[in-house]
């Protein structure tokens, strides 16, 4: 369940602290710890495209339509005879299929085959801040769950208040916060009821901030 940040003074303080820390984190390359799985490039068909990624589009038999495209911040790119294509959250095979379907409307004969490949993967960027061993900015080829994100940040530091961990997320309606249940997970199996681990863990989206107070 999501709550608007301004409804809670405690969450408001967390948001202010996060925004204060994010500025120097983004400004200094030394503070950015990027984790890009090798699988993103070795298995591009499984990779989920993100805003900022670069793609190579090859339309067979149409040299004038071979080009590199950059996925825009809104997750789309424009292509001749196809218009605007939504790329974010999809793999290259799905994107190629939609491109071919749209381009086919301009051909009386059989449309040309379309190949889309991943040229450069920037991955989705998220932040882990607060009482963790290596706070900072991270990138991942896929959306990590909260435990994976915490692992990338080296785990919790001493005196971390995992009972009040939250995810800060920016939406068109404003900043929202999602409380996350970390305390029972980090304590281990003895504190978990049967079936607890069958529930999907919350995942981070690009731009999210996981705060461990």
């Amino acid at each position: 369940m999501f709550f608007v940040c301004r409804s809670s003074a405690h969450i408001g303080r967390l948001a202010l602290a996060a925004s204060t820390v994010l500025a120097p984190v983004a400004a200094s390359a030394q503070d950015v710890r990027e984790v890009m799985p090798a699988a993103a490039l070795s298995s591009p068909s499984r990779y989920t495209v993100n805003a900022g990624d670069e793609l190579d589009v090859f339309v067979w038999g149409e040299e004038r339509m071979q080009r590199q495209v950059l996925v825009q911040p809104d997750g789309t790119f424009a292509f001749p005879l196809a218009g605007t294509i939504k790329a974010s959250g999809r793999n290259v095979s799905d994107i190629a299929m939609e491109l071919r379907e749209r381009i086919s409307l301009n051909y009386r004969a059989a449309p040309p085959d379309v190949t889309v490949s991943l040229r450069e993967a920037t991955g989705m960027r998220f932040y882990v801040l607060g009482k963790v061993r290596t706070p900072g900015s991270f990138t991942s080829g896929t959306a990590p769950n909260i435990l994976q994100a915490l692992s990338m940040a080296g785990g919790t530091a001493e005196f971390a208040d995992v009972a009040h961990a939250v995810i800060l997320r920016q939406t068109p309606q404003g900043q929202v916060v999602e409380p996350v249940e970390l305390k029972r997970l980090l304590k281990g199996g003895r504190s978990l009821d049967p079936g607890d681990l069958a529930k999907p863990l919350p995942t981070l989206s690009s731009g999210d901030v996981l705060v461990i107070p």
Side-chain angles (χ1 to χ4, degrees):
M1 182 176 181
F2 289 91
F3 303 91
V4 179
C5 283
R6 59 175 177 269
S7 65
S8 170
H10 175 67
I11 295 304
R13 288 193 295 271
L14 285 175
L16 178 61
S19 62
T20 302
V21 177
L22 279 177
V25 167
S28 172
Q30 293 181 349
D31 290 335
V32 177
R33 299 170 177 84
E34 297 189 353
V35 182
M36 173 56 65
L41 294 176
S42 62
S43 302
S45 61
R46 298 181 181 179
Y47 175 74
T48 300
V49 173
N50 296 282
D53 287 351
E54 292 185 22
L55 306 175
D56 282 327
V57 181
F58 188 86
V59 181
W60 293 86
E62 296 286 355
E63 185 176 348
R64 60 189 176 88
M65 295 176 65
Q66 325 306 331
R67 61 190 61 198
Q68 300 169 12
V69 297
L70 175 67
V71 181
Q72 299 301 308
D74 64 356
T76 67
F77 67 88
F79 198 80
L81 303 183
T84 301
I85 300 292
K86 177 175 172 54
S88 181
R90 307 172 67 185
N91 60 44
V92 292
S93 298
D94 289 341
I95 297 170
M97 185 179 300
E98 182 176 355
L99 275 170
R100 187 174 189 273
E101 290 176 355
R102 292 200 184 188
I103 291 174
S104 68
L105 300 177
N106 300 276
Y107 288 81
R108 292 183 178 179
D113 288 330
V114 178
T115 301
V116 178
S117 59
L118 185 65
R119 181 179 183 83
E120 183 175 351
T122 61
M124 58 157 286
R125 185 178 298 278
F126 61 94
Y127 304 85
V128 184
L129 303 177
K131 290 187 174 65
V132 292
R133 297 186 184 279
T134 54
S137 170
F138 302 84
T139 61
S140 174
T142 57
N145 62 44
I146 53 175
L147 291 184
Q148 291 169 332
L150 188 59
S151 174
M152 291 180 184
T156 57
E158 191 175 8
F159 304 122
D161 184 7
V162 293
H164 294 94
V166 296
I167 297 173
L168 301 179
R169 178 169 295 156
Q170 193 65 36
T171 71
Q173 291 73 37
Q175 192 174 62
V176 296
V177 61
E178 179 185 2
V180 293
E181 180 59 69
L182 276 175
K183 185 175 182 179
R184 297 174 67 209
L185 290 173
L186 295 178
K187 277 188 174 181
R190 292 184 179 180
S191 64
L192 296 172
D193 296 327
D196 276 355
L197 291 181
K199 301 175 183 177
L201 295 173
T203 57
L204 299 183
S205 301
S206 187
D208 282 359
V209 184
L210 175 60
V211 182
I212 311 295

